[in-house]
């Protein structure tokens, strides 16, 4: 498996490239519109053909590069079925792996940040989107988010993976790149080290975060795989 972690600084968002070395087929998890050209250059440099863009959820803070990449490379846009996104080619569901050449990416349904959120597991790595961040987690106060639901998702679907599974988050605002299931289970201040669901719900209720600046543009655009109107 070929793997690259890519960063978009405006939204501090990570995009992940995974590819089958044998077949040269590739997928991008959570591509960002502003960095489509960079992603295409990387695919070309590595001699890969883009088969899928894959979303973890409907993002509120940036517009996906999915539609633009599909226009330019003819790939398929995979979006969680529960996102009900227009123009999606693949409806992602837990239990239905996405095949990228000889690789199989396993969707894990992890709602709570949003009600459509999926994480993805492949070969000792889990891409946790905004469900689990390094020493944190995504907010739960819009897009049908729910703190108790997020607590159960993280504990049942992510913390149940082997300790040495690498955790690759959807964002990091402090230049951290990777964690592990064992590390988050032990020291995530919101969700780890024995924090109860009641404590977690209280932490999330007290955050009082501002609205994402791009939300009014990003959410409608992402509901159509990133086609801007
Ligand atoms: Fe998000």
């Amino acid at each position: 498996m070929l793997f690259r972690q890519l960063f978009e600084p405006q939204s501090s968002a990570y995009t992940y490239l995974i590819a089958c070395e044998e077949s040269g087929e590739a997928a991008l998890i959570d591509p960002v519109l502003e960095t489509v050209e960079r992603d295409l250059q990387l695919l070309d440099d590595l001699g890969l053909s883009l088969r899928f863009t894959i979303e973890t959820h409907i993002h509120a803070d940036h517009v996906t590069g999915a539609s633009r990449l599909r226009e330019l490379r003819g790939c398929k846009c995979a979006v969680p079925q529960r996102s009900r996104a227009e123009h999606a080619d693949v409806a992602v569901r837990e239990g239905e792996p996405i095949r990228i050449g000889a690789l199989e990416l396993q969707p894990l349904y992890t709602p709570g940040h949003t009600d459509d959120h999926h994480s993805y597991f492949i070969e000792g790595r889990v891409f946790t989107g905004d469900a689990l961040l390094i020493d944190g987690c995504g907010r739960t106060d819009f897009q049908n988010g729910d703190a108790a639901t997020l607590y159960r998702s993280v504990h049942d679907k992510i913390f149940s993976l082997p300790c040495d599974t690498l955790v690759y988050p959807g964002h990091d605002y402090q230049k951290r790149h990777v964690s592990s299931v064992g590390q988050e289970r032990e020291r995530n201040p919101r969700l780890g080290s024995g924090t109860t669901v009641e404590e977690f719900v209280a932490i999330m209720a007290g955050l009082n975060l501002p609205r994402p600046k791009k939300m009014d543009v990003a959410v409608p655009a992402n509901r159509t795989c990133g086609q801007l109107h």
Side-chain angles (χ1 to χ4, degrees), residues 58-62 143 214-224:
I58 298 288
H59 307 279
D61 60 337
H62 65 269
Q143 292 178 283
K214 282 193 181 175
M215 185 163 180
D216 294 335
V217 174
V219 170
N222 290 329
R223 287 206 177 113
T224 61

Side-chain angles (χ1 to χ4, degrees), residues 2 20-21 23-26 41-50:
L2 262 168
C20 166
E21 281 194 282
S23 64
E25 293 182 10
Q41 187 64 54
L42 179 62
L43 288 161
D44 291 344
D45 289 348
L46 295 170
L48 301 171
S49 65
L50 184 62

Side-chain angles (χ1 to χ4, degrees), residues 1 55 65 74 79 89 109 113 123 134 152 163 170 212 223:
M1 183 172 96
E55 304 297 322
V79 187
D89 302 300
Y109 182 44
H113 168 60
E123 294 186 9
I134 299 171
R152 279 192 298 275
C163 261
R223 287 206 177 113

